[in-house]
Amino acid sequence: MWSVAFTADGRTLATGGYDHTARLWDVTDPGRPRQIGQRLKGHTDAVMAVAFTADGRTLATASDDHTLGLWDVAGPGGPRQIGHPLTGHTGAVWSVTFTADGRTLATASSDGTVRLWDVADPAQPCEIGQPLNGHTDAVRSVAFTADGHTLATGSYDRTVRLWQIF
């Protein structure tokens, strides 16, 4: 496993793994976790990061295959991929995070960039502006402030950068 994330209510856990898949787990009874549905397949390499929207309805997956996946994890019939994988990074995508309102997604990559995505309608995601550049090495981590106005990025270049987003 490369990554784990809980829904805000703590009832569901997502895992991302080397087997190119993500999995959802019902952890309402922590002593007896139960897999929800089938493995989430759509990546061609390891799933390096997973993140839920605050409402727990959408899961983002980031992969070594340079893509991002968006998944409806609350719809009837079980989890399903929304649209096609998002592309744009030229390296592995190592970190992903949503703003608290779930409308914006940030991704960090080994290509040294951070990208922002408008995912207000997950079925019609689009990139926001140009990639954020400034690090001199791979970007490993991203995190938004609670209000979504500032993004922190951490890099192998041994720096943390703060970006005013909105």
Side-chain angles (χ1 to χ4, degrees):
M1 290 300 132
W2 287 105
S3 183
V4 295
F6 279 109
T7 52
D9 65 9
R11 299 172 57 93
T12 305
L13 176 71
T15 61
Y18 188 73
D19 67 354
H20 308 182
T21 70
R23 297 173 195 232
L24 297 175
W25 302 88
D26 177 338
V27 292
T28 52
D29 178 356
R32 300 181 88 117
R34 181 180 57 82
Q35 187 170 324
I36 300 168
Q38 300 297 313
R39 293 179 296 161
L40 306 182
K41 298 178 184 178
H43 291 290
T44 60
D45 209 332
V47 175
M48 302 302 292
V50 292
F52 285 102
T53 52
D55 65 8
R57 299 185 62 80
T58 304
L59 176 73
T61 57
S63 175
D64 258 356
D65 69 8
H66 308 186
T67 70
L68 310 159
L70 293 175
W71 305 84
D72 175 351
V73 295
R80 66 172 182 81
Q81 189 166 16
I82 303 169
H84 298 287
L86 302 178
T87 60
H89 284 293
T90 59
V93 185
W94 284 341
S95 184
V96 61
T97 189
F98 287 98
T99 52
D101 65 8
R103 298 176 64 83
T104 305
L105 180 71
T107 58
S109 175
S110 64
D111 67 12
T113 69
V114 172
R115 291 177 183 262
L116 299 174
W117 307 86
D118 178 341
V119 293
D121 177 357
Q124 298 288 331
C126 61
E127 192 167 359
I128 300 170
Q130 296 297 311
L132 303 178
N133 293 296
H135 287 291
T136 60
D137 204 341
V139 183
R140 188 68 177 114
S141 187
V142 287
F144 280 109
T145 55
D147 65 9
H149 295 291
T150 304
L151 178 69
T153 60
S155 170
Y156 280 165
D157 68 9
R158 299 181 184 191
T159 67
V160 172
R161 292 182 177 267
L162 299 176
W163 308 84
Q164 289 303 116
I165 302 300
F166 303 107

